[in-house]
Amino acid sequence: MIKPQLKTLIVGGLLWSVASASQAFEQSGKVDCIAPANPGGGWDFTCRSVGRVLSDLDLVDGNVQTINMPGASGGVGFSHVVQKRAGQENLIVAASTVTTTGLARGQFPGMDAGMVNWIGTLGADYGVIAVAADSPYQSLSDVMQALKENPRALTFTGGTATGGWDHLKLLMAADAAGVDDLARIPYLGYNGGGEAVTQTLGGHVDAFTGDISEVISFIESGDLRPLAILSEERLPGKLQEWPTAREQGIDTIAPNWRGFYMPAEVSDDAYAWWVDTIDTLYSSDEWKSVMTQNGLMPFEMHSEAFTTFVNDQIAQIDDISRQIGLSR
């Protein structure tokens, strides 16, 4: 694809190149948003909430239809887009750090980040380790102490496969806490956070590892209790009362960006249009309200800068995986 015309922005003291949309492309008709997981998880949230705001602000011509396509922690959706949807300009796909983790660990066989076009981000969703309200564990420190004594003392679950981002953030926390035999910690992966939450609430597992947006409604209802949020400092608003892992002596930070990619072989103008449209949505008061309500923190990156970031994160996750014994 020929690179679109660029404009330069200063973000955090750094220069970022962002595509400037051409007027040659005019979006029309229904938009498909693929959420590569079952309903109820973070990708489903991304498609449905973004679709609603895109329609409310009249940023798209038709409706936005969410298509759930679970499997292989996003790999089924990625493969579908690469193999069957090339050139389709009314298609966007929800992505996150889970996507780059799958690419980093070779979980999308024969696929790489260069096979799609990376549009931009819509904020970051920080990791959380949570338990059912009646769990005997009162803090992340309690959990890690139990794992130090016996790595198989608790069973964890998350919305990604073994070796995926939800699993990795648990292992990163355990490693920072000084737990040995990380590979022995039981983890059950599901196709989306919704199933994992159900397993936790049903008492089939001891703890959930995922992202705030997946569980905030369960936290508000009192069904789930966060043991730690994996952010630099306490999150604002209604999440202020929940401690970070750092506060408990476990130096682990795990932000999960939310964003989109689209198929390869689309026109430069269509790609630039989507970059500007997602940028416009991100800057809107309506989206800021969605972010506040769902625990999303500011994190904005588009076009070439986002593509570079994705490739860098894939390299970083690959390195982390190797350090903790989860090589490809």
Side-chain angles (χ1 to χ4, degrees), residues 100-162:
T100 47
T101 299
L103 289 165
R105 301 208 58 249
Q107 293 172 331
F108 303 176
M111 306 286 171
D112 62 61
M115 293 178 173
V116 298
N117 287 306
W118 299 91
I119 300 173
T121 62
L122 291 157
D125 194 1
Y126 282 97
V128 62
I129 297 176
V131 293
D134 59 356
S135 170
Y137 295 97
Q138 299 301 311
S139 69
L140 186 61
S141 298
D142 290 345
V143 166
M144 293 305 166
Q145 184 57 44
L147 293 178
K148 286 180 183 180
E149 296 172 5
N150 176 11
R152 304 190 67 80
L154 291 87
T155 298
F156 296 82
T157 187
T160 65
T162 299

Side-chain angles (χ1 to χ4, degrees), residues 104-227:
R105 301 208 58 249
Q107 293 172 331
F108 303 176
M111 306 286 171
D112 62 61
M115 293 178 173
V116 298
N117 287 306
W118 299 91
I119 300 173
T121 62
L122 291 157
D125 194 1
Y126 282 97
V128 62
I129 297 176
V131 293
D134 59 356
S135 170
Y137 295 97
Q138 299 301 311
S139 69
L140 186 61
S141 298
D142 290 345
V143 166
M144 293 305 166
Q145 184 57 44
L147 293 178
K148 286 180 183 180
E149 296 172 5
N150 176 11
R152 304 190 67 80
L154 291 87
T155 298
F156 296 82
T157 187
T160 65
T162 299
W165 181 239
D166 287 345
H167 188 200
L168 278 175
K169 69 183 69 164
L170 163 65
L171 296 182
M172 290 163 61
D175 187 49
V179 177
D180 295 324
D181 299 323
L182 298 179
R184 295 186 61 215
I185 299 174
Y187 172 84
L188 301 176
Y190 290 91
N191 286 318
E195 286 185 80
V197 170
T198 299
Q199 294 297 309
T200 306
L201 296 178
H204 305 295
V205 296
D206 297 295
F208 168 87
T209 170
D211 295 315
I212 285 293
S213 70
E214 296 175 307
V215 297
I216 192 164
S217 62
F218 297 98
I219 294 172
E220 291 178 335
S221 67
D223 294 310
L224 278 182
R225 176 164 43 84
L227 297 180

Side-chain angles (χ1 to χ4, degrees), residues 43 95-108 113 118 160-169 171-172 253-257 308-328:
W43 286 327
S96 64
T97 306
V98 174
T99 312
T100 47
T101 299
L103 289 165
R105 301 208 58 249
Q107 293 172 331
F108 303 176
W118 299 91
T160 65
T162 299
W165 181 239
D166 287 345
H167 188 200
L168 278 175
K169 69 183 69 164
L171 296 182
M172 290 163 61
I253 299 169
N256 182 8
W257 56 264
T308 298
F309 170 82
V310 164
N311 289 321
D312 288 347
Q313 189 175 61
I314 288 170
Q316 180 187 40
I317 292 171
D318 181 44
D319 181 60
I320 292 172
S321 298
R322 293 175 185 279
Q323 286 185 43
I324 60 180
L326 287 171
S327 58
R328 283 196 248 187

